[in-house]
Amino acid sequence: NHCTWYGVNTCNADGEVTWLNLDKNNLDGTLPKELGGLTKLTSLLLDANSLRGSILSEIGQLTELKILAISFNGLTGSIPSEIGLLTRMISLYLDDNFLSGSIPGELGLLTG
């Protein structure tokens, strides 16, 4: 049962993962596109790992997401405009990465 896996803090009544906390776990590599398939996720906490590469556009598929914390990693590239699709977002932590470019205007539309 994936709801009892390490880092899965909460599942809903249908057994879908809603809270994933893997901060400070020495994760190394890129964010997998498969994260976009966790469509019931409300909190994704991946702070303080060794993640690199870009924030994928698939992040926009996580429309239930309220908290996204991916600070203190080695992420590069720009913030994808698809983050603007996360209309339930109340907390967004992207600091201490190597992101470049401007902040997408779509972030200003988030009302959480």
Side-chain angles (χ1 to χ4, degrees), residues 11 15 19-20 25 32 37 39 44 51 53 55 60 62 67 75-77 80 84 87 90 94 96-98 101 105:
C11 283
W19 188 290
L20 184 61
N25 269 274
T39 57
L44 178 59
L51 298 173
I55 302 171
L62 305 178
I67 302 170
L75 297 171
T76 57
T87 57
I90 55 173
L94 303 174
D96 289 291
N97 281 292
F98 301 98

Side-chain angles (χ1 to χ4, degrees), residues 42-83:
T42 60
S43 298
L44 178 59
L45 311 173
L46 299 171
D47 289 323
N49 283 293
S50 295
L51 298 173
R52 57 187 181 282
S54 61
I55 302 171
L56 304 171
S57 61
E58 285 81 3
I59 201 81
Q61 296 171 0
L62 305 178
T63 55
E64 300 293 320
L65 205 60
K66 294 179 180 179
I67 302 170
L68 175 61
I70 50 178
S71 300
F72 299 98
N73 280 289
L75 297 171
T76 57
S78 59
I79 301 169
S81 61
E82 288 82 0
I83 283 186

Side-chain angles (χ1 to χ4, degrees), residues 1-5 8-20 40:
N1 179 350
H2 59 269
C3 292
T4 62
W5 290 354
V8 176
N9 289 37
T10 310
C11 283
N12 64 17
D14 294 324
E16 298 165 303
V17 177
T18 59
W19 188 290
L20 184 61
K40 300 301 180 185

